[in-house]
Amino acid sequence: MSSRVSPSRSGPRQAAALLATIVCGCVLVACDSGGGDGSGSASVTPRPTPPAASDFTGSPPSAVASAASSIIGSAKSRASSAAASVSARASEFAASVSADTVRAAATAQKELKDVKGSGNATADVGMTGLPTAETGGLRAVVVTITNNTDAKASYAVQVDFKNPDGKVVETRYIGKEDLAPGQRAQPIVVSRQPPQPPLTPVLAKAQRY
């Protein structure tokens, strides 16, 4: 009995096997092209497209707006606190000076009322301005009174504050009673005028009595 295969049947089988081989090869090539050994072609990553500038419209993000508002509010608060602190220091300084000088000022003004010229004691009186940092921004002058005589004496002093034009815009009085020979006193005169324009204190009168 013959085992030969009929040509009419072997043709279709061989064609089917060949087709299967070709398909498997294509699948293997496709899989290998994405590997990491670099032997295949490199994959291409799409470049991102930048957003259009016209898309950024409207108000800034709420977090940014809130931060800006917080910074501005904090700055205003610090400025307000600083102003309040300066005002408080000025009030404290003026109060501490006034407590010791109100009565002396009234007495000095009374004693100088009828004094002609600059008085008899200008050589016994000197003046030194105080830094505004120490006075809370107020203009203040230390009046140094020294009894250079050999007997007890009292003093009355008038200080004029002049503007840049030389005009007297304010007059203040100060004094000290019963200074012993050689004794020194240093009362303080405080101007009530605003910081601007700048004023110059001038010793107008000094009377020993």
Side-chain angles (χ1 to χ4, degrees):
M1 187 173 180
S2 174
S3 60
R4 187 187 313 177
V5 179
S6 172
S8 61
R9 294 181 178 180
S10 63
R13 291 180 181 177
Q14 291 176 353
L18 179 60
L19 179 61
T21 301
I22 293 173
V23 171
C24 289
C26 290
V27 171
L28 290 176
V29 170
C31 292
D32 184 63
S33 66
D37 59 0
S39 59
S41 61
S43 61
V44 178
T45 303
R47 178 176 297 177
T49 303
S54 60
D55 291 340
F56 296 99
T57 60
S59 302
S62 58
V64 175
S66 177
S69 177
S70 177
I71 292 173
I72 294 172
S74 178
K76 289 182 177 179
S77 177
R78 289 196 300 271
S80 178
S81 297
S85 178
V86 170
S87 178
R89 290 199 304 273
S91 297
E92 291 173 2
F93 178 79
S96 67
V97 172
S98 296
D100 296 331
T101 60
V102 171
R103 187 181 66 82
T107 301
Q109 185 175 4
K110 180 180 178 180
E111 292 294 332
L112 291 170
K113 182 178 180 180
D114 298 323
V115 172
K116 304 300 181 181
S118 59
N120 62 9
T122 54
D124 295 340
V125 179
M127 298 193 305
T128 305
L130 287 175
T132 55
E134 297 178 7
T135 65
L138 295 177
R139 187 182 292 104
V141 179
V142 177
V143 179
T144 301
I145 304 171
T146 305
N147 182 2
N148 292 316
T149 70
D150 55 2
K152 184 180 292 187
S154 297
Y155 290 82
V157 178
Q158 175 183 325
V159 178
D160 289 341
F161 289 89
K162 297 184 177 183
N163 64 14
D165 295 329
K167 180 181 178 180
V168 176
V169 296
E170 183 181 23
T171 295
R172 307 291 292 175
Y173 297 93
I174 196 67
K176 190 65 178 179
E177 296 178 322
D178 300 327
L179 283 180
Q183 187 178 0
R184 175 181 295 179
Q186 291 184 307
I188 297 175
V189 170
V190 180
S191 170
R192 302 299 182 181
Q193 295 298 306
Q196 296 297 331
L199 301 179
T200 301
V202 177
L203 177 61
K205 294 182 179 181
Q207 182 72 13
R208 181 174 55 251
Y209 60 94

